[in-house]
Amino acid sequence: MIYNQVPSGAGRLPLQPIRDGHQESAVVVDFPQTKKSNSTGSGATRLAESLSNLLHLHVETPARGTWTNLEHYTDWNALMEEKHSIPTMSPKEVISDKWHEIQGLKSWENLLDPLHPLLRREIVKYGEFAQATYDAFDYDSFSEYCGSCRYNTNKLFQKLGLTKNGYTVTKYIYAMSQIELPRWLERSHLVESSWSKDSNWMGYVAVSDNEETRRIGRRDIVVAWRGTVSPSEWYEDFQRKLEPIGLVGGAEAKVEHGFLSIYTSKSETSRYNKSSASEQAMKEITRLVQFYRERGEEVSLTITGHSLGGAVAVLNAYHAAKTLPGLPISVVSFGAPRVGNIAFRDELHNMGVRTLRVVCKQDLVPRMPGLLLNESLQKFDELTGTLEWVYTHVGTELKLDVRSSPYLKSSLNLPGFHSLETYLHLVDGFLSTTTTFRGNAKRDISLVNKSCDMLVDELRIPHCWHQLSNKGLVCNEHGRWVKPKRDPEDVPSPTATTSRHHSLHFHGLHQRIEHPDSVIQPSYV
């Protein structure tokens, strides 16, 4: 079944809220009138409007009015001064006796509306893992490593400030596709010197360290998948046919052709995809599960991704459930499209995979594919029977609304609506469908504008500010501006290995892998 969470008087599961010294009570204030965005006539807006009209979609844009939960502030300067003086994180609470509920054992019943603080923290944590696949991706078409990760596995979380989450990356995943997908596959202009002509860095596998394992009550394996570059490509690229999933059986279960191609494509002539993304991921997941089970530990698998990455995460979860029966598997996706048909959804549910889909009401991507041929046709089952050729969503939905945040612009902004940082901002501020943005939200508001223009001008945060210093150029010893060479350890290599005495970095402490009680040896493609 698909669960649509609605306001309810039902109580929460017996989980204790995070105490951070702030109250969540609503105080009504008058929200200052914001300036109209300058992007009203921009190409992105016109594209969004044209696409909406073409598909006959009604996309609601935010409307300004009276807002709550901004405490006593009535001007931006005072509000932001207060925000800047508050840490972005409160102390973590131990959830070792509650993790089954937080991971969706009961399909997150009574935990989404209102959103439980402990669940909110976990959703943001997995969202940050998905965001890392964008932040570390080399988009520079003039780079010989375009399409790769900028850092090696040991440096990824350190460079992105994610060491606080208590996980260590163990393997990178690369993907290719046998179909043409414009702009999904980032290619270097330097074709002859490109690190790979057919593959992209698609994500990674990570595992919780000992401290985080004690806090969350199990050894958690995470797989994070990267999404596409532009949401406007969805209508053109992924309105394709359903086909049998063909991984490990399932005669009636069918999934979208493009998603399956990215997940399963491989070629003997490829440097990085002699094995498919699915085989790379499952080999590492199986290795980690066996390693920790042999040590007597309880193990879980959490798969996350945004956009296309959310669709691939569902395929990965299906594959893992077939391969490793009995393993607790959860998916936390953001802005993900439909993946397969009704039979696929039902089989995924019967295998015990729990899926939490975080969607934004104004985002078009979760409405695709199957704009017309989707789960809404189930009401005609008595006349048509079960339809194998219609798309349907899976799992439980947490629906967010751009209009709930007083910090976001009112203009139509398709890329902004779909941005993962917009999603994380909305999750951080969501209390319930009957209340507005919480005033004590801690996530840095400036992150929303990393790659879009969604924040109101009064905040004075530049749009698309996240980029390499000087766009990647450095001044050499002769005073000339040049592209720097990557550190040898950050150069992608399909044959890279580590020695038995390679060390990993945990919270400032180097622990050698020959000690089985510390960490395990990472493996590389």
Side-chain angles (χ1 to χ4, degrees), residues 2-7 357 395-397 399:
I2 292 181
Y3 298 87
N4 291 310
Q5 299 296 325
V6 296
R357 293 184 300 105
T396 305
E397 179 181 272
K399 180 169 284 188

Side-chain angles (χ1 to χ4, degrees), residues 342-374:
I342 296 171
F344 174 74
R345 178 201 66 188
D346 292 344
E347 188 170 354
L348 199 69
H349 176 76
N350 292 336
M351 290 189 296
V353 175
R354 286 95 64 171
T355 303
L356 178 60
R357 293 184 300 105
V358 184
V359 301
C360 176
K361 185 176 181 179
Q362 289 78 14
D363 188 4
L364 293 181
V365 172
R367 308 184 190 196
M368 304 178 187
L371 289 165
L372 300 176
L373 305 177
N374 55 52

